[in-house]
Amino acid sequence: MTSSAFQSLIIPYRQKLYCFAFRLLGNEEDAKDVVQDCFIRVWNSRDKMPELQSLEAWCMRITRNLALDRLKSRKYRVTDDLDRAGEVPSVHQTPHQHAEKSDVMRRVHGAIAKLPEKYRTVLRLRDMDGLSYQEIADMLEIGLPEVKINLHRARKQVREQLQNLQVYGIQ
């Protein structure tokens, strides 16, 4: 593979890979480093590319593994940056509406953060990144039924946590 082919096939995934790494790590610089390391690994393994069904899923899998390795090596914890990553300020919100929305988003992100890693990853890939079930299965190297089961269980746990919080004030 030539460098121009690499740039046209792989580099367009840069932003998506960065967002994914940022969601896992919660740190801008670490996410950039992970994406750069991913590109190096992809370049070094470019001879495998013709065998792959989805370059994007392969790149996402490499990014995920690098990010998880970084989390394990540093005993890293996701910070409040993750909570702010999903918020987009609206021009036409009153301070009360903004505070209410921020509170809801904080609760949702808190509920997602309490999920086991396999549920949290599948939920983020499907509901936040918009990947298909098959892309998630390819990326995580699990079966399609397992993706669907994990996603269902993740959504159910988040829903139950939010309902308990709303009705009973239980966290």
Side-chain angles (χ1 to χ4, degrees), residues 88-115:
V88 177
S90 175
V91 177
H92 303 292
Q93 283 185 336
T94 67
H96 176 69
Q97 290 170 327
H98 180 70
E100 189 174 312
K101 183 178 178 183
S102 296
D103 187 48
V104 169
M105 290 304 294
R106 183 184 50 77
R107 289 179 184 170
V108 170
H109 284 289
I112 292 171
K114 291 179 184 177
L115 292 173

Side-chain angles (χ1 to χ4, degrees), residues 32-42 62 66 70:
K32 288 178 183 177
D33 290 345
V34 164
V35 172
Q36 185 174 16
D37 292 344
C38 173
F39 285 158
I40 291 169
R41 286 209 182 165
V42 169
I62 292 171
L66 289 169
R70 189 170 287 244

Side-chain angles (χ1 to χ4, degrees), residues 10 12 15 19 26 31 50 53 55 60 70 95 106 111 129 143 152 164:
I10 304 300
Q15 185 62 31
C19 290
Q53 291 181 350
L55 290 175
M60 293 286 278
R70 189 170 287 244
R106 183 184 50 77
D129 292 339
H152 171 75
N164 286 338

Side-chain angles (χ1 to χ4, degrees), residues 14-76:
R14 180 178 47 219
Q15 185 62 31
K16 193 169 195 174
L17 296 174
Y18 168 77
C19 290
F20 182 54
F22 182 78
R23 283 194 188 107
L24 289 172
L25 297 169
N27 182 293
E28 207 174 300
E29 294 302 316
D30 288 340
K32 288 178 183 177
D33 290 345
V34 164
V35 172
Q36 185 174 16
D37 292 344
C38 173
F39 285 158
I40 291 169
R41 286 209 182 165
V42 169
W43 177 256
N44 290 336
S45 302
R46 63 190 177 274
D47 55 323
K48 295 180 184 178
M49 284 185 190
E51 304 165 9
L52 300 171
Q53 291 181 350
S54 172
L55 290 175
E56 181 180 5
W58 185 50
C59 292
M60 293 286 278
R61 185 179 321 125
I62 292 171
T63 301
R64 175 184 172 268
N65 291 340
L66 289 169
L68 292 177
D69 288 347
R70 189 170 287 244
L71 284 171
K72 287 177 190 173
S73 70
R74 290 189 174 179
K75 306 235 185 283
Y76 214 148

Side-chain angles (χ1 to χ4, degrees), residues 3-15:
S3 64
S4 62
F6 182 83
Q7 287 181 346
S8 66
L9 292 173
I10 304 300
I11 299 298
Y13 300 133
R14 180 178 47 219
Q15 185 62 31

Side-chain angles (χ1 to χ4, degrees), residues 124-137:
R124 286 185 176 146
L125 290 173
R126 177 69 181 163
D127 292 341
M128 294 178 185
D129 292 339
L131 297 180
S132 71
Y133 294 119
Q134 188 60 54
E135 290 172 324
I136 295 169

